[in-house]
Amino acid sequence: MPCLSIDADRLIGRIQDLGRIGRGENGKLTRLAASDADKAGRDRLVDSMREAGLELRCDRVGNLFGVWREADVADLAPILVGSHIDTVIDAGVYDGCAGVLAGLEAIETLRGSGFKPARPIAVAAFTNEEGVRFAPDMLGSLAYVGGLTVEDALATIATDGAALGAELARIGYAGSDAPGFLRPHAYVELHIEQGPVLDREGLAIGAVEGVQGISWRRVTIEGVANHAGTTPMTMRRDAGRAAAQVIAHLHDHVAGSNAPSVATVGCIAFEPNAINVIPSRARFTVDLRDPDERRLRRMEAALDGFLDRLAVAEGVSIAVERLARFEPVAFDPRIVALIEDVAKRRGLTSKRMTLGAGHDAQMLARICPAAMIFVPSVGGISHNPNEFTRVADLAAGADVLLDVVTRLAGA
Amino acid sequence: MPCLSIDADRLIGRIQDLGRIGRGENGKLTRLAASDADKAGRDRLVDSMREAGLELRCDRVGNLFGVWREADVADLAPILVGSHIDTVIDAGVYDGCAGVLAGLEAIETLRGSGFKPARPIAVAAFTNEEGVRFAPDMLGSLAYVGGLTVEDALATIATDGAALGAELARIGYAGSDAPGFLRPHAYVELHIEQGPVLDREGLAIGAVEGVQGISWRRVTIEGVANHAGTTPMTMRRDAGRAAAQVIAHLHDHVAGSNAPSVATVGCIAFEPNAINVIPSRARFTVDLRDPDERRLRRMEAALDGFLDRLAVAEGVSIAVERLARFEPVAFDPRIVALIEDVAKRRGLTSKRMTLGAGHDAQMLARICPAAMIFVPSVGGISHNPNEFTRVADLAAGADVLLDVVTRLAGA
């Protein structure tokens, strides 16, 4: 295998260039889906795709594709790479864009090298991945894999009242292709980690083997409000203390399990919320995640059991609402192994990882073998102007993407 | 000792009568200090004091007195009984009023019996005990014992913008006596428990031996906000989980101590308070109470030590603000023993208790031997229309008050 490498200067130059588009007067980067800023970003991407000699395609929900299709293999299912270029409000420059532009970079490098692909290779930028302006997030890739009809997607109303269909038409990105028109042979997405693990452990590459399942619940504990000075500890039915026991138990149970499970209590409120009144009500959210569905179910059952015992022990009543539930997604083990293999051949350290949900790859996994390549994000920061990935780490990730595409599109 | 008893029908009749004064169109009872409703209540109390043959006195901060002063003992320090007749918003009829009217009942009963007191006996209704319209609570008794100057008391501004001095003049209860003009030989106050202990344990009388010390703090824990899905449990600096550990520890430490100590976390807030973000900040209040100052200090020190260890163990920073601190007040042990003794002689069960702060007796304890008699309040409910004390329990408490006054005012 020749040691072909991407052009790191060209890649980081394009990321920085795209990151200058969509800055407000305050200098903050905000390119919400199907906005004027998104149009300007798409226009720049289209220019780059054209320079790379790719065929431009846009589907009806605005997913944008640059396709390298040699005549002799034009009818075969393509290798698809990509991500998204829409951003959150006051964003960094890497989230999404790094994946699209690394994909473009890999294709351009392969084309320039004289490589003869055994099937088409295409790079995609999916519409409204962030979900800030239109709900749900990952809307474009969801529609692409058939999880949302084109009609429903186009009728989606923005937080500012506009319909997605009208906005796409207005900015000139309401394409004519049916979502799913390119049915991929495989999909590979490079992304910054959006978590601290690679950076903290000094590793170069994350080989993402799946998406965590998610269980969101809201727990309401009803006790009895009483005077903080006159009610002996043994006569209390303290909803706040019961909530604290749940939080402490959840952490200990999950952190002590040696599994990649995570549990988070992010929201809490007490009533009456007065310094000298024992809380009559405590309401809090529980976010449980695990890449293994059976283990996620066991976590849910363990929580239910703990709440049942707690209600008896503390003399409180406890109600649980399910707010959201998503089963885990397993990425394609062959592609995951391929990512590890090419990283090793390049002398790069790597680690198998699981997503905390929220990337287009998990949608594409419904219709083709898929996986993701993570590169380190300093401090795990994302969705923030301080988001930062070193050029060397980006280049290493793009080289791994290049090698994976080379192997997948090879003879 | 003759078995003299109060007139339970007269007592409950007066409580119900006073409880009809100050009802709004919605039927709710609200007699805030120095309001029109308070004036009407005071007028009714004055009528009853006059009917009982007592000398009426009113001091400059509106504290109202009915004095039984026989000529031969007129110059001696009086036995003072009483409480207050101002109420919270949407109040019950017992809080405060039961103590004033039981005191009046005891004096009237003694007078009617031909008893010859060895010193004057007086009943007091102190201004603004509840603290709803004017701050601080217990304002009248605080001024009476010299803890607040008359000028400062009268300049106190109500929540509705009126000055206390102007309001007392308006309702005709700006008296001419200097607060403290009657320097009591002893002070005894009957009050409903405002807690569940007597009712829960089926006891008739609480012999209150002191007031808990109070320590109020606000704790702020700073961790690091991170994504709930992508941050492994071992890499978290979760301010919310740290707060839960404090709450659980406080409860276990205090409930397991066999002391009458109480600890309450009544208020809490997480930031950013999002379901899928690990809390970066948790802020909560801690209310510690104990009748023993050394034990209260040990509780504070134990909390500080726990917070120090927690900060290291969880990688969070912790700041503590002191919001309030009151040392415990010890009531007069001879009067407490006397209450127990007379209860026993009447065949009434009793228990030594400690106040969760907030009664005029703790102010009077600064200038004379003082104690309190608690009667059961069903379910511990107070500051609520459902506040209820059975007639038999009220009568038993008033009989105990009668006997204590008889012994204190005896030859």
Side-chain angles (χ1 to χ4, degrees), chain A residues 194 212 229 236 264 267 273, chain B residues 194 212 229-230 236 264 267 273:
Chain A
Q194 293 191 280
Q212 295 169 329
R236 297 179 172 213
T264 306
C267 298
N273 208 41
Chain B
Q194 294 190 277
Q212 295 171 329
T230 59
R236 296 178 173 216
T264 306
C267 299
N273 208 41

Side-chain angles (χ1 to χ4, degrees), chain A residues 193-197 200-201 212 216-217 226-236 238 240-241 243-245 247-248 250-252 254-255 261-270 272-279 285-287 289 314 323 354-357 379-380, chain B residues 193-197 200-201 212 216-217 226-236 238 240-241 243-245 247-248 250-252 254-255 261-270 272-279 285-287 289 314 323 354-357 379-380:
Chain A
E193 185 196 335
Q194 293 191 280
V197 176
R200 200 77 64 89
E201 299 186 3
Q212 295 169 329
W216 279 3
R217 292 167 178 217
N226 254 317
H227 194 287
T230 59
T231 316
M233 299 304 283
T234 52
M235 289 190 185
R236 297 179 172 213
D238 182 339
R241 132 116 167 128
Q245 288 175 279
I247 297 170
L250 261 181
H251 186 279
D252 296 346
V254 172
S261 321
V262 286
T264 306
V265 173
C267 298
I268 196 166
F270 286 177
N273 208 41
I275 188 168
N276 60 347
V277 182
I278 298 162
T285 56
V286 176
D287 174 321
R289 306 194 191 200
E314 297 293 318
L323 302 180
T354 305
L355 285 191
Chain B
E193 184 197 336
Q194 294 190 277
V197 176
R200 200 77 62 89
E201 300 185 3
Q212 295 171 329
W216 278 3
R217 295 169 176 213
N226 255 316
H227 193 286
T230 59
T231 314
M233 299 304 280
T234 53
M235 289 189 186
R236 296 178 173 216
D238 182 338
R241 130 114 169 131
Q245 288 175 279
I247 298 170
L250 262 180
H251 187 279
D252 295 347
V254 172
S261 323
V262 286
T264 306
V265 172
C267 299
I268 197 166
F270 285 177
N273 208 41
I275 188 169
N276 60 347
V277 180
I278 297 161
T285 57
V286 176
D287 174 321
R289 305 194 191 201
E314 297 292 318
L323 300 180
T354 304
L355 285 191

Side-chain angles (χ1 to χ4, degrees), chain B residues 177-336:
Chain B
D177 288 310
F181 74 101
L182 288 176
R183 189 161 187 98
H185 179 71
Y187 176 78
V188 186
E189 178 170 353
L190 175 145
H191 206 284
I192 61 166
E193 184 197 336
Q194 294 190 277
V197 176
L198 294 177
D199 181 49
R200 200 77 62 89
E201 300 185 3
L203 301 171
I205 298 293
V208 183
E209 57 184 347
V211 185
Q212 295 171 329
I214 300 186
S215 171
W216 278 3
R217 295 169 176 213
R218 181 187 292 127
V219 179
T220 304
I221 301 182
E222 303 274 1
V224 176
N226 255 316
H227 193 286
T230 59
T231 314
M233 299 304 280
T234 53
M235 289 189 186
R236 296 178 173 216
R237 292 160 68 188
D238 182 338
R241 130 114 169 131
Q245 288 175 279
V246 178
I247 298 170
H249 167 81
L250 262 180
H251 187 279
D252 295 347
H253 179 77
V254 172
S257 74
N258 277 328
S261 323
V262 286
T264 306
V265 172
C267 299
I268 197 166
F270 285 177
E271 291 180 20
N273 208 41
I275 188 169
N276 60 347
V277 180
I278 297 161
S280 58
R281 173 183 283 182
R283 176 171 276 187
F284 56 96
T285 57
V286 176
D287 174 321
L288 303 176
R289 305 194 191 201
D290 200 289
D292 182 86
E293 174 65 16
R294 283 168 308 175
R295 211 160 43 211
L296 184 57
R297 286 192 189 163
R298 282 202 299 272
M299 288 168 72
E300 293 176 321
L303 174 60
D304 288 341
F306 183 79
L307 294 177
D308 287 346
R309 293 190 299 279
L310 185 69
V312 173
E314 297 292 318
V316 295
S317 63
I318 304 181
V320 179
E321 286 167 82
R322 287 187 159 221
L323 300 180
R325 184 64 165 79
F326 301 102
E327 290 201 6
V329 175
F331 283 150
D332 187 79
R334 289 160 303 171
I335 304 180
V336 176

Side-chain angles (χ1 to χ4, degrees), chain B residues 14-210:
Chain B
R14 280 184 178 149
I15 289 172
Q16 289 168 345
D17 190 41
L18 187 51
R20 279 187 285 269
I21 297 173
R23 302 237 167 224
E25 290 181 8
N26 52 16
K28 294 182 177 176
L29 172 60
T30 303
R31 278 198 319 271
L32 303 186
S35 65
D36 291 344
D38 189 23
K39 172 187 166 44
R42 286 166 176 264
D43 289 349
R44 181 67 53 97
L45 177 62
V46 163
D47 289 346
S48 300
M49 286 173 169
R50 284 218 174 92
E51 287 162 22
L54 304 186
E55 171 195 351
L56 286 169
R57 301 291 288 268
C58 184
D59 72 17
R60 295 180 61 198
V61 301
N63 296 318
L64 193 57
F65 301 85
V67 187
W68 175 23
R69 192 196 308 256
E70 296 291 336
D72 54 337
V73 297
D75 295 337
L76 295 179
I79 305 303
L80 190 63
V81 295
S83 190
H84 63 95
I85 66 164
D86 67 312
T87 75
V88 297
I89 294 166
D90 196 15
V93 305
Y94 300 91
D95 183 349
C97 302
V100 173
L101 296 171
L104 176 64
E105 182 61 39
I107 296 173
E108 199 164 1
T109 302
L110 274 181
R111 277 191 61 135
S113 74
F115 177 74
K116 295 296 173 202
R119 50 181 70 249
I121 307 175
V123 55
F126 293 102
T127 298
N128 191 58
E129 192 270 350
E130 294 291 6
V132 175
R133 191 173 178 216
F134 298 92
D137 53 354
M138 300 174 278
L139 181 150
S141 50
L142 179 64
Y144 194 79
V145 303
L148 183 68
T149 66
V150 172
E151 292 65 33
D152 286 346
L154 299 182
T156 303
I157 302 301
T159 52
D160 50 38
L164 177 59
E167 284 293 279
L168 287 172
R170 185 180 68 78
I171 68 168
Y173 283 93
S176 56
D177 288 310
F181 74 101
L182 288 176
R183 189 161 187 98
H185 179 71
Y187 176 78
V188 186
E189 178 170 353
L190 175 145
H191 206 284
I192 61 166
E193 184 197 336
Q194 294 190 277
V197 176
L198 294 177
D199 181 49
R200 200 77 62 89
E201 300 185 3
L203 301 171
I205 298 293
V208 183
E209 57 184 347

